[in-house]
Structure formats: structure tokens, C-alpha cells
Amino acid sequence: TYEDRFASVPTLFVADDQSNRVLGYDLPITRNDPTPDLVIGQPNLTSTAKNRGGTPAANSLYGPSDVAVTSQGGVRRLWVVDSGNHRVLRYDLPGTSANLVLGQQNFSSGTQDAGGAVSRIGFDMPTTVRRDAPRQGYDAYAGANLDDERPPAPDIKMPRQVPLVGHLHRGA
């Protein structure tokens, strides 16, 4: 669960892993059992199939586990840890299709470690995105700085059990 404080109308985002979607609720929530204002990963509020019943895509999810929101230059971005597809996706809000993928070569791939051995590119079931306050960036478990579109440097080598593999910063 993550509260987006960057919007004129703040939004509460919930990763609903068993229904393969992320739900957004405009705040304040004033009653029990509200209807979500945004659904990401499914075509509607009643569908629950992993990857919308197909293969990974920019508009599908498989077991999302965490979310974070960033804002840069007036653009609100939602970052979704798509654990089942071994990737982290970036959405420019209020869009419902991702425009950047971390952990895979493209949006249609969803294999562990990007289909190869442990490397600087692939993820193995990422679970969390976290704020890195001192450096004003974000980290993804087995991931990268979410404000930077560049992949990690090729010489970064760390064992699988280390939670953060690579850390990027703007202007580096």
C-alpha cells in the first residue's frame, strides 16, 4: 500500500497480488468498501487472470507485491513490483500501461533473471520498492534507482542473497 502525495487529489495504491492488479483510490476515502478509481493490470474490476489470461505485456501483471510513487518535472510515476513476471514496471499516471520495464529485456518477457544466469539485468522474484531518502532516489529489491532509466554498470557483481543489486543515481 502506498499513498501518492504528489497529486492534487492524493491516491492510495494497493498491490492486490492474488488478483494480479493494482488498485487506486482517490483520497480521502469517506466510506467503507469504496470502488477503486483506477485499476492497473486488468481490463476491469472483476477480472483476475495472471497477465490478463495471456503473456506478459505493458498492461498486465502477475502477482504485484509493492508500489511506490515518484514525481519529477510534474510527471507522477507509479512503480509496480511485478513479482510473478520478475520485473518492475513504471507507469506515467494516470496511464494504465507501463512505459518502462526493469528486470526484463522487454514487456513481453517474464522469466527469472531475464532468461539467463544472475546478471545486472534480470530479477528473481523482486518484492519491494523502497525510498532512498539521503540520495533522493528509489531502490527495488534486486533492482535499480527508479528515477534513472539507464541500466546498472556492467561491472556490478553481487551475490544473489544481497537484497540490492546495483544502485544508480541521476547525474552519475
Side-chain angles (χ1 to χ4, degrees):
T1 311
Y2 187 90
E3 181 182 341
D4 171 15
R5 297 172 189 239
F6 298 111
S8 58
V9 175
T11 305
L12 177 71
F13 291 101
V14 178
D16 185 2
D17 69 331
Q18 296 299 301
S19 295
N20 303 299
R21 64 188 182 179
V22 171
L23 301 174
Y25 298 88
D26 288 346
L27 297 176
I29 296 173
T30 58
R31 61 183 176 83
N32 291 333
D33 198 26
T35 300
D37 299 289
L38 180 68
V39 62
I40 293 174
Q42 295 294 343
N44 55 51
L45 290 170
T46 58
S47 298
T48 63
K50 71 178 185 180
N51 294 318
R52 294 182 168 211
T55 58
N59 66 349
S60 72
L61 295 170
Y62 176 21
S65 59
D66 200 11
V67 295
V69 177
T70 62
S71 181
Q72 187 171 12
V75 177
R76 290 173 45 229
R77 291 186 169 141
L78 176 68
W79 296 87
V80 176
V81 178
D82 187 12
S83 297
N85 286 321
H86 308 281
R87 64 188 186 175
V88 175
L89 299 172
R90 182 186 76 188
Y91 300 81
D92 287 350
L93 293 172
T96 58
S97 283
N99 58 12
L100 181 82
V101 60
L102 301 174
Q104 298 294 336
Q105 296 287 342
N106 54 54
F107 289 108
S108 60
S109 298
T111 56
Q112 176 183 343
D113 295 318
V118 175
S119 71
R120 67 179 179 85
I121 297 171
F123 296 158
D124 183 0
M125 294 293 290
T127 57
T128 307
V129 286
R130 298 193 187 274
R131 179 155 173 76
D132 183 14
R135 292 181 287 239
Q136 300 303 310
Y138 288 80
D139 289 329
Y141 176 85
N145 179 310
L146 303 183
D147 287 330
D148 200 323
E149 297 177 13
R150 297 169 294 163
D155 61 345
I156 294 175
K157 294 181 178 125
M158 297 183 117
R160 179 184 295 274
Q161 68 269 19
V162 175
L164 295 177
V165 179
H167 189 88
L168 305 173
H169 300 284
R170 281 215 177 274

